[in-house]
Amino acid sequence: MEFQNYTGQTVEDALTQASVMLGVTSDHIEYEVIEKGSTGFLGLGSKDAVIRARVKSADEKVLEDAPLAEKNDIYPSAEIQETAPKKVHHKKEISEEDIELAKNTASEFLHGLFENMNLEVKESFVFDEAEGILNIDLEGPEMGIIIGKRGQTLDSVQYLTNLAVNRKTDSYIRIKMDTEDYRSRREDTLVNLARNVAYKVKKTRRPVALESMNPYERRVIHSALSEDPEVVTHSEGEEPYRHVVVTLK
């Protein structure tokens, strides 16, 4: 993985930004300081800190090395789900102690993260006992920053929180994070996109390749067109540039 530049008011803020965007905790990042940053005089002439950072070479495949169930919980892959043999899952009952520990750990982690990012964010927690999921909803005046481009920052924060929580709990607890109903709105957008692309494919009789998407978003596209009798979908490319292609049957 190549080095990329990250900025923040301080070196610590820049490192936090790198952690969020790279989807790993800071101990998995190697970096060098390009500009330490300065506050200037009375706020004038201030400069952001700049670092060059990347995931440590030994940790580049941290997601690939994680257990399959954990990876699918973070980004459920349609391709994996379609090809993997069906298994009977016996859910382990999650104790009240683990649920409270998960909430407290997530709250502490997110408070520190958002404080370093200079963001005012309120978290609310609802545990889904049937699915073993801790749903976290975020509220604040600058949620666009948390969501990021096509939800990439929100996904990264969710992943980091998932790591922080499950390093302390005995039972595996899935973390799902949302803000301003973004997940639902994004899914509606993707479903409409899928239907419009399918119409174009039928009209032109030519395949259409969509923009690169994460596994969850590709899964939405696959699912939206799975019942269409005239088109078929498949994914091409390597992460993070893997994308869905829609073709005639």
Side-chain angles (χ1 to χ4, degrees):
M1 178 178 292
E2 295 183 356
F3 281 98
Q4 295 185 23
N5 288 357
Y6 300 91
T7 61
Q9 290 187 341
T10 66
V11 171
E12 289 76 16
D13 290 344
L15 184 57
T16 298
Q17 289 283 8
S19 296
V20 171
M21 299 309 298
L22 293 173
V24 295
T25 51
S26 59
D27 56 318
H28 292 290
I29 293 176
E30 59 176 308
Y31 69 97
E32 59 183 70
V33 177
I34 298 176
E35 174 64 55
K36 290 184 177 181
S38 62
T39 57
F41 179 70
L42 298 178
L44 299 175
S46 61
K47 291 184 179 180
D48 283 341
V50 182
I51 65 171
R52 294 177 67 244
R54 68 178 182 183
V55 177
K56 291 180 180 178
S57 56
D59 298 321
E60 283 185 2
K61 295 186 178 181
V62 64
L63 280 176
E64 287 76 0
D65 294 339
L68 180 60
E70 183 173 331
K71 289 187 290 185
N72 290 345
D73 289 338
I74 300 168
Y75 293 128
S77 170
E79 294 80 13
I80 292 176
Q81 291 181 352
E82 292 166 358
T83 59
K86 293 183 179 180
K87 298 180 181 179
V88 178
H89 296 278
H90 301 282
K91 291 184 179 179
K92 178 181 177 182
E93 185 175 347
I94 300 174
S95 67
E96 290 293 331
E97 290 77 8
D98 262 356
I99 295 173
E100 286 304 309
L101 178 58
K103 291 180 180 179
N104 292 336
T105 302
S107 179
E108 182 180 354
F109 173 78
L110 291 171
H111 178 76
L113 176 65
F114 296 140
E115 186 175 50
N116 284 327
M117 295 174 70
N118 293 318
L119 295 176
E120 181 182 340
V121 182
K122 178 182 178 182
E123 309 101 25
S124 58
F125 303 89
V126 176
F127 185 74
D128 185 336
E129 294 185 6
E131 298 295 332
I133 297 173
L134 179 59
N135 293 290
I136 304 175
D137 190 68
L138 307 177
E139 296 181 24
E142 299 178 279
M143 289 298 96
I145 296 176
I146 300 298
I147 294 171
K149 183 179 179 181
R150 296 202 304 271
Q152 291 176 349
T153 305
L154 183 63
D155 288 339
S156 296
V157 174
Q158 175 178 286
Y159 172 65
L160 291 171
T161 307
N162 185 84
L163 287 181
V165 166
N166 285 288
R167 283 175 176 170
K168 292 190 175 182
T169 57
D170 291 330
S171 303
Y172 179 71
I173 297 178
R174 295 171 59 191
I175 303 297
K176 284 193 174 181
M177 191 172 294
D178 201 1
T179 180
E180 298 180 346
D181 204 26
Y182 170 78
R183 303 287 189 193
S184 178
R185 291 187 288 109
R186 177 62 174 166
E187 185 168 330
D188 289 342
T189 298
L190 291 171
V191 169
N192 288 331
L193 171 65
R195 291 171 179 167
N196 290 336
V197 169
Y199 174 79
K200 181 178 180 180
V201 169
K202 296 171 190 176
K203 185 175 181 180
T204 64
R205 307 191 68 78
R206 294 181 179 179
V208 173
L210 280 66
E211 63 182 350
S212 58
M213 299 177 182
N214 66 45
Y216 170 74
E217 293 182 329
R218 296 198 304 269
R219 176 172 168 265
V220 172
I221 300 294
H222 289 307
S223 178
L225 299 181
S226 62
E227 301 298 323
D228 193 309
E230 298 181 58
V231 299
V232 64
T233 62
H234 68 276
S235 294
E236 294 181 355
E238 300 294 332
E239 301 288 4
Y241 306 109
R242 195 162 173 79
H243 57 275
V244 176
V245 179
V246 183
T247 60
L248 284 175
K249 282 187 177 178

